[in-house]
Amino acid sequence: LPPDTSKYLLCPMPGLIVDVLVQEGDRVEAGDKLLVLEAMKTQQPTTAPFDGTVVKLPVKKGDQVTEGQLLVKVEP
């Protein structure tokens, strides 16, 4: 079986983190906006896939990110 990657929100394309709306330890609900990525002159919100807790947040506002980079880890 492939590993369960549903808890990991990965960067879909290279860009710039323009806003971070949560901190590690925050409780979130499905659909909550976690951060905003600007890529190709478009702002793309990253949202919680399910109710849970932000357990890892290795990026901050102003960071340049690459495709496939971990943005947020949420545990149910």
Side-chain angles (χ1 to χ4, degrees):
L1 289 171
D4 178 11
T5 58
S6 65
K7 299 173 188 169
Y8 300 93
L9 300 171
L10 305 179
C11 187
M13 63 185 71
L16 175 71
I17 302 296
V18 293
D19 206 1
V20 177
L21 307 165
V22 295
Q23 299 176 24
E24 287 184 10
D26 285 358
R27 292 278 309 152
V28 295
E29 294 182 10
D32 283 356
K33 195 183 297 186
L34 306 178
L35 57 82
V36 179
L37 170 71
E38 186 173 281
M40 299 172 52
K41 300 185 181 177
T42 305
Q43 291 196 354
Q44 303 177 14
T46 296
T47 58
F50 45 75
D51 295 357
T53 302
V54 176
V55 295
K56 191 166 189 171
L57 183 67
V59 297
K60 62 185 182 311
K61 185 175 178 176
D63 282 356
Q64 289 285 338
V65 292
T66 59
E67 185 175 348
Q69 180 176 340
L70 176 64
L71 299 178
V72 184
K73 180 179 179 188
V74 178
E75 292 276 355

